[in-house]
Structure formats: C-alpha cells, structure tokens
Amino acid sequence: MGLAISTKSFECAIDNGLAHIILNQPSRGNPIDGDFCREFALAIAELSERSDVRAVLLSARGRLFSVGGDLMALVKQGEALPGTIKAWTADIHVAIARMVRMRAPVVAAVHGNIAGGSVSLMAAADLIVMAESAKISAAFSRIGFSPDSGSTTTVTRRIGVGRARRFFLLGETFDAATALSFGLVDVVVADSAVQTEATRIAMELAAGPTEAFGAIKRLFSQTNDRSFESQLEEEAQTLAAISRTADAQEGVRAFVEKRKPVFSGK
C-alpha cells in the first residue's frame, strides 16, 4: 500500500503500521526542490491523518542522503529567486512542522553525506541512525545564504543555541562520531547496518502505543516554551488523557498479568 498521491521525488510504501519514505533521485543527489517540497507536504499531511501509520522511516537511495537545496534550479531563477524561495519554503516548512507534531514517531536512516536544508529534515526526526562514514554539513553560509527548513530550531533543539550558531556561521562539517557526541544524531552504526538498524527501530515503534508516542513528542517539543509549572500541568493533563486510551489500559493489564502488551495504536 502507498500514498493516495503520486510522487516522483520519493517513494512511500506503507506496511504493517510503518510508512517508509525513500528519497529517490540519486543521480541528482536527492535534492530539495519545488517538486520535493510540494510532494513532501502532501505526503506528511496524508500520513499524519492515517490511522494505519504508526511510525515513519525516512531513508534515501544512492551515494548521498541529500545535497540539500537544488542550487542548479535556484541559480536559474534570477530576480525571481526570492519568490521561488518563499514558494518552496511554504511547502517544506509546513511539512516539517506537521512531521514534528504528528503522533507517529519518525526515524531517519542517514548514509553518505547530508547538507543544507536536508539537515533540518533529518534533525526533525525523533530518532536518527547514521552511518559511521557519513558527514553532516552546514552549507548555507558557504554560498551566502541563511538557514531555512526549520534548521535554526530543529538543530538547536538537539545541540543547543551556541553550538548550532557556530555550526551555521562557520559552515562546519561534522563526521558521525562528532554528531553523536553533540547529540545531533542518536545512533551510529557500520555503513552496512544503517538500513537494518533504522528499520528495526522503526518497526518496534510501529508496534508500540502510538498515542503515547504522540504525547511524548508534543511534550518535548514545547518544554522550552513553557514555565516549569506550566509544563508540569501539561504533563498531568496529557497523562490523564492518555490513560483513557486502549493502549494505556492494555499496558497496565499486561504488566499486572506479567505478559508482553499488544498495542493497537489506539
């Protein structure tokens, strides 16, 4: 099963609760362009509302994960470039915001190099599995641009304001070990094991308590914007709501009965 829409910049297969998005323009370096921004926004809008989607896996084909923005397309815009940027970001920004807020957790499997706006796409994932030979580049300032795609938020939430600012100002490149030490990625494995490990994690999440996962995502996404007391009350209200779900009731019963819970995502 796949999406209701047709896409050319990536593929998406949905099976057993897992939606697997595969960037599929390897000859071009899987760039972010107008087609990708539009298609990704439509895909996330659909996936975030589908009851059969309980986790999302994001990966890519080819030597690179993604080069980021399609500079060849941008350079052809001339004086129309600012308008093109606003059109592309209107789609990709909505997509990333909804991906962060959707109940289904998102796992990114990163191989090869990743740069520019695709770094934000990666950082917006809930869990990131990275190949030990891969590299992450902050390419914006190198071409006289400022960050987009939510980079100043998604990367900052992972590594902090000061380190993120330096990353973008100096146009730095992190290897996998450095990215792991800063918390920019969550797991580093051998190149040959990236897809296997990311799939294992995503499938485990797809079989889990989806509503609880969504609540966890929401709580962590807003913790920096609330006072401590407000966040405590939000935790209480959220937990009270989650306790009404079928999965919460199944989890408690399974614990008491000393068996593994079987979650339905409801």
Side-chain angles (χ1 to χ4, degrees), residues 56-67:
V56 176
L57 175 61
L58 181 62
S59 65
R61 289 199 173 95
R63 185 173 59 86
L64 306 174
F65 184 90
S66 174
V67 295

Side-chain angles (χ1 to χ4, degrees), residues 142-214:
R142 297 288 184 183
I143 59 170
F145 274 31
S146 58
D148 69 346
S149 302
S151 302
T152 56
T153 296
T154 59
V155 175
T156 296
R157 283 178 173 174
R158 282 184 163 269
I159 67 176
V161 174
R163 197 62 193 82
R165 182 173 55 231
R166 172 178 163 180
F167 178 60
F168 288 113
L169 280 174
L170 298 181
E172 293 180 323
T173 297
F174 294 158
D175 59 24
T178 301
L180 180 65
S181 70
F182 290 152
L184 185 52
V185 302
D186 300 293
V187 180
V188 172
V189 297
D191 292 14
S192 60
V194 173
Q195 194 63 47
T196 300
E197 179 61 10
T199 301
R200 183 193 68 77
I201 293 172
M203 290 180 67
E204 179 180 331
L205 292 169
T210 315
E211 294 297 338
F213 289 155

Side-chain angles (χ1 to χ4, degrees), residues 25-151:
Q25 297 188 88
S27 64
R28 300 177 58 210
N30 298 315
I32 294 177
D33 58 11
D35 287 336
F36 175 82
C37 293
R38 181 175 58 257
E39 292 174 355
F40 195 68
L42 291 171
I44 293 299
E46 179 181 337
L47 295 177
S48 64
E49 290 297 323
R50 289 183 59 153
S51 61
D52 61 337
V53 173
R54 297 170 59 188
V56 176
L57 175 61
L58 181 62
S59 65
R61 289 199 173 95
R63 185 173 59 86
L64 306 174
F65 184 90
S66 174
V67 295
D70 184 352
L71 299 186
M72 294 300 293
L74 292 176
V75 77
K76 294 176 182 178
Q77 298 300 309
E79 294 182 358
L81 180 57
T84 298
I85 288 173
K86 286 185 176 180
W88 289 13
T89 54
D91 287 326
I92 193 66
H93 287 181
V94 167
I96 291 176
R98 288 177 173 168
M99 187 176 82
V100 168
R101 290 181 171 89
M102 69 189 298
R103 66 177 194 146
V106 179
V107 179
V110 179
H111 74 282
N113 294 350
I114 180 169
S118 56
V119 174
S120 178
L121 182 63
M122 173 202 77
D126 300 293
L127 293 169
I128 303 166
V129 180
M130 189 174 188
E132 60 186 1
S133 70
K135 291 182 171 58
I136 302 173
S137 300
F140 295 103
S141 65
R142 297 288 184 183
I143 59 170
F145 274 31
S146 58
D148 69 346
S149 302
S151 302

